Amino acid sequence: MPKTKNSGGSSISRLQPDEGALSQHVVVIGAGLMGATTALACLERGHSVTIVDPGEPGGTQAASYGNGCWINNGALMPVSVPGLWRQVPGFLMDPLGPFAIRWRYLPRLLPWLARFVRAGATLAKVEATVRARRPLLDGTVASHTALAEAAGASDLIVKRGLLYLYPDRAHFLAEALDWRMRRENGIVSRELDEEALRALEPGVGPAYRFGVHVPEAGCNLTDPGAYVAALVAHARSLGARVERSHATGFALSGTRLAAVITETGEIACDKAVIAAGAWSGALARRAGDAVPLETERGYHVVVRDPEYVPRHPIMTSDGKMALTMTRAGLRAAGQVELGGLAAPPDWRRADIQLAYLNRVFPALPARPDEARLSRWMGHRPSTPDGLPSIGQASASPDIVHNFGHGHTGVSMAPASARLAADLVAGRPPAIDPAPYAPRRFHGRGV
């Protein structure tokens, strides 16, 4: 087998098994971005791989399809920060705000919400979370670039930097903690007054008079679904099998894994990785870990053939959504709705995103022709402390968690995949797995 080409970490391209590695059969549960990158990382280490997922890789059912398209080294801050508890009543009162909680879901959500508020209760806790998030974000742009090149999908990654918009400098200063964390962790940015902002992005409307440009620490995907599909196809070309089935549990012999149980039968294997996104919680419980996993329901709207095409991916401070040009059109994605996996979408939220597009880019009509629009809702898997669950399961060291990345699954995927694959292989990982251990939720704390 040809040698592996390394670029910005591991390219996971033309693979050569690790010298002296023990080849095992690994079942990766999930064919989203986390599952696809994990499968490739396991293939790189010389294992045979089966990917199990009931849906089409890159299909509309997956969070990987509908995200904000950002690959961002600077996505360091957790959602929970000091003082957030004061805003919880507002989250309940405003069903269409950028962070909303459905009343009917509140009784079930309360334990997760209490942990969520505690996780960001002090500056020290936030700083510790930022330190833990950083290793999963370092080098993500280079890693994705190498992955895309190996999969023949380089055209899906565009490097233009990232642009943050604020109504004025005062709103920027209100996020001083975010920018201090980025600065202290090596993220270089440039502040833009109104004149400089208009020069960089001429189509931005008068509602925004201040900006911050991050030139090197981010880029965007022009079709996240196609990217995931390309990575899975690449894994298949390297020998991975893909089973269209729903994984329901594990067959254990003592603490050793014998098989992954699916709705169509058992798949005998040596190791398994849970990478099923927002649907990972039930599998984790069957593997001995009660991980508090919620879905942050995310929405997007896409305007085909927009009257203005932005030069950069943009994040608005007031709307908390990513505005990104994709192959399908101009996408507005983001915000948070906590309401569980079963509730139907509230499409008014997509309409709010559409209104923000007009606010940011006045050249776009407030109500484009319906034939030019598409709407989507998906489920981001989120733990309360802003860190994913990556580590060996309590019931068996042969089962490894890799889920719960919240808003930053795209950016954290390559490093998380390498860490999970190292744990599968039983070799010392390059990243300390302790902050992400599933057992951190077993006590009364976060």
Side-chain angles (χ1 to χ4, degrees):
M1 199 174 283
K3 292 182 180 180
T4 300
K5 177 183 177 183
N6 289 315
S7 173
S10 173
S11 70
I12 316 177
S13 54
R14 293 167 287 279
L15 304 179
Q16 175 175 301
D18 289 350
E19 190 173 336
L22 174 64
S23 179
Q24 305 176 91
H25 179 205
V26 182
V27 172
V28 176
I29 303 171
L33 185 56
M34 208 59 62
T37 52
T38 301
L40 287 167
C42 287
L43 287 164
E44 182 182 43
R45 285 149 180 78
H47 306 306
S48 62
V49 172
T50 299
I51 303 170
V52 177
D53 195 301
E56 182 69 25
T60 59
Q61 80 286 347
S64 301
Y65 171 88
N67 56 53
C69 308
W70 284 32
I71 301 170
N72 183 9
N73 293 26
L76 293 158
M77 287 292 289
V79 177
S80 182
V81 294
L84 183 76
W85 63 271
R86 298 186 187 93
Q87 302 177 49
V88 171
F91 299 156
L92 289 164
M93 297 302 295
D94 185 0
L96 300 179
F99 191 117
I101 299 171
R102 291 200 177 191
W103 272 99
R104 290 184 179 180
Y105 194 67
L106 182 60
R108 183 171 176 180
L109 180 67
L110 276 174
W112 186 95
L113 192 61
R115 289 176 180 259
F116 174 71
V117 171
R118 284 201 304 272
T122 67
L123 179 58
K125 287 186 174 184
V126 171
E127 290 175 336
T129 301
V130 168
R131 287 193 298 272
R133 287 170 67 88
R134 178 177 174 174
L136 299 180
L137 294 165
D138 280 348
T140 183
V141 174
S143 293
H144 273 294
T145 300
L147 281 164
E149 180 182 1
S154 295
D155 60 315
L156 298 180
I157 293 183
V158 178
K159 298 177 183 177
R160 298 191 181 116
L162 306 174
L163 179 61
Y164 295 79
L165 296 184
Y166 296 88
D168 50 41
R169 185 173 177 78
H171 284 80
F172 163 69
L173 294 175
E175 295 186 358
L177 177 60
D178 301 48
W179 288 103
R180 178 169 71 83
M181 291 293 101
R182 294 185 181 110
R183 186 170 59 253
E184 291 178 357
N185 285 277
I187 304 302
V188 177
S189 61
R190 178 169 65 102
E191 297 179 19
L192 306 169
D193 61 18
E194 186 168 4
E195 182 180 356
L197 173 60
R198 299 281 178 266
L200 191 69
E201 193 66 73
V204 170
Y208 301 93
R209 303 190 303 277
F210 190 85
V212 181
H213 184 223
V214 182
E216 300 296 335
C219 60
N220 71 283
L221 294 167
T222 60
D223 190 333
Y227 181 56
V228 172
L231 294 183
V232 173
H234 181 46
R236 295 183 76 162
S237 76
L238 297 169
R241 294 172 53 227
V242 177
E243 294 284 341
R244 292 285 294 274
S245 189
H246 177 66
T248 58
F250 307 95
L252 299 177
S253 177
T255 61
R256 308 311 302 188
L257 177 66
V260 169
I261 302 169
T262 78
E263 61 187 1
T264 54
E266 294 189 358
I267 303 174
C269 58
D270 302 296
K271 299 289 178 71
V273 180
I274 303 172
W279 288 268
S280 298
L283 287 166
R285 286 192 294 274
R286 292 184 177 97
D289 297 299
V291 176
L293 189 70
E294 272 298 334
T295 166
E296 292 187 36
R297 297 153 56 93
Y299 292 77
H300 85 215
V301 64
V302 175
V303 181
R304 182 168 50 85
D305 299 325
E307 285 77 3
Y308 178 75
V309 175
R311 299 175 180 177
H312 308 83
I314 288 172
M315 172 67 71
T316 58
S317 65
D318 46 357
K320 296 301 180 187
M321 62 186 74
L323 315 180
T324 309
M325 194 63 200
T326 71
R327 295 201 300 190
L330 180 56
R331 176 184 292 191
Q335 302 196 323
V336 174
E337 179 189 52
L338 297 173
L341 288 167
D346 183 349
W347 292 120
R348 294 177 300 170
R349 300 190 68 84
D351 292 336
I352 288 174
Q353 293 171 327
L354 192 61
Y356 263 98
L357 280 175
N358 170 253
R359 174 179 169 84
V360 179
F361 307 119
L364 272 68
R367 293 295 304 181
D369 185 83
E370 194 65 30
R372 296 170 57 197
L373 302 178
S374 63
R375 299 173 177 85
W376 173 91
M377 189 278 286
H379 299 278
R380 294 172 295 212
S382 297
T383 63
D385 64 353
L387 297 174
S389 182
I390 309 175
Q392 292 175 322
S394 295
S396 170
D398 300 331
I399 303 171
V400 173
H401 294 219
N402 188 14
F403 61 86
H405 296 75
H407 296 251
T408 46
V410 174
S411 300
M412 291 183 172
S416 296
R418 292 193 293 268
L419 174 54
D422 284 344
L423 295 173
V424 164
R427 71 182 199 181
I431 297 173
D432 179 8
Y436 326 112
R439 291 177 180 82
R440 73 186 189 273
F441 297 114
H442 288 193
R444 293 194 172 192
V446 170

